[in-house]
Amino acid sequence: MKMNKIAGTWELSSAELHLNKDAFPLFGNNPSGSLVFTNNMRFNVIINDRDVPKFNNDDRSKGTYEELVAATQGALALYGTYTVDESGDFASQQIIGSTFPNWNGLHRSNDQLKLQRKENFLIENLYLENDGLVIIKW
């Protein structure tokens, strides 16, 4: 089996958007999430803001406009496949599906998304077109 330095289950530690010299928390001040990289080269990500208020109705399809907007802005999930290079480091990802539909079918190379294992953490750097940077620590 090929060496794989990122396989495993990772718990979200922090998620920030960096624009210019400012940093903003993504998914609120109390984010939660899970990232799984399987040995058979599949991945899934779930991130949410634990402080999004509960809906007033137990049927999520009957949420108010405000509840639905808050829920959409406070959560992200995606899944797909990934590759590693000969050293076992992250090389690319192919998103099969996402709660953000613009990412369905998206391929990201190591130029756009960098994942590096540092001690017990996995650090994710996602470079944005507006010169922004999303830094997620798992």
Side-chain angles (χ1 to χ4, degrees):
M1 179 182 285
K2 190 175 190 177
M3 182 191 305
N4 187 336
K5 295 179 184 174
I6 62 172
T9 302
W10 302 88
E11 184 178 341
L12 184 66
S13 177
S14 64
E16 294 181 330
L17 169 62
H18 293 256
L19 288 173
N20 302 319
K21 296 180 188 212
D22 297 319
F24 306 94
L26 290 173
F27 306 101
N29 292 318
N30 192 20
S32 179
S34 175
L35 168 63
V36 177
F37 284 108
T38 68
N39 285 322
N40 65 342
M41 311 311 285
R42 310 262 318 162
F43 78 91
N44 62 64
V45 179
I46 301 170
I47 303 175
N48 71 297
D49 177 351
R50 287 187 250 188
D51 295 328
V52 170
K54 291 183 177 183
F55 286 22
N56 288 321
N57 188 319
D58 286 336
D59 182 345
R60 71 183 191 135
S61 70
K62 295 181 180 174
T64 66
Y65 174 81
E66 291 79 13
E67 290 170 334
L68 293 168
V69 167
T72 300
Q73 291 175 340
L76 177 66
L78 55 140
Y79 64 95
T81 61
Y82 74 101
T83 62
V84 294
D85 63 18
E86 61 280 346
S87 299
D89 293 312
F90 176 82
S92 69
Q93 104 183 149
Q94 179 73 36
I95 298 172
I96 295 171
S98 173
T99 55
F100 180 55
N102 296 24
W103 286 357
N104 292 340
L106 180 66
H107 176 83
R108 289 188 180 133
S109 68
N110 200 25
D111 295 333
Q112 300 158 309
L113 176 65
K114 295 195 184 304
L115 288 165
Q116 293 181 309
R117 189 168 187 163
K118 293 183 181 178
E119 299 173 4
N120 292 331
F121 290 99
L122 189 66
I123 310 299
E124 179 177 336
N125 290 296
L126 174 60
Y127 298 91
L128 306 175
E129 292 177 7
N130 63 355
D131 293 327
L133 173 63
V134 172
I135 300 175
I136 299 178
K137 186 174 183 181
W138 300 94

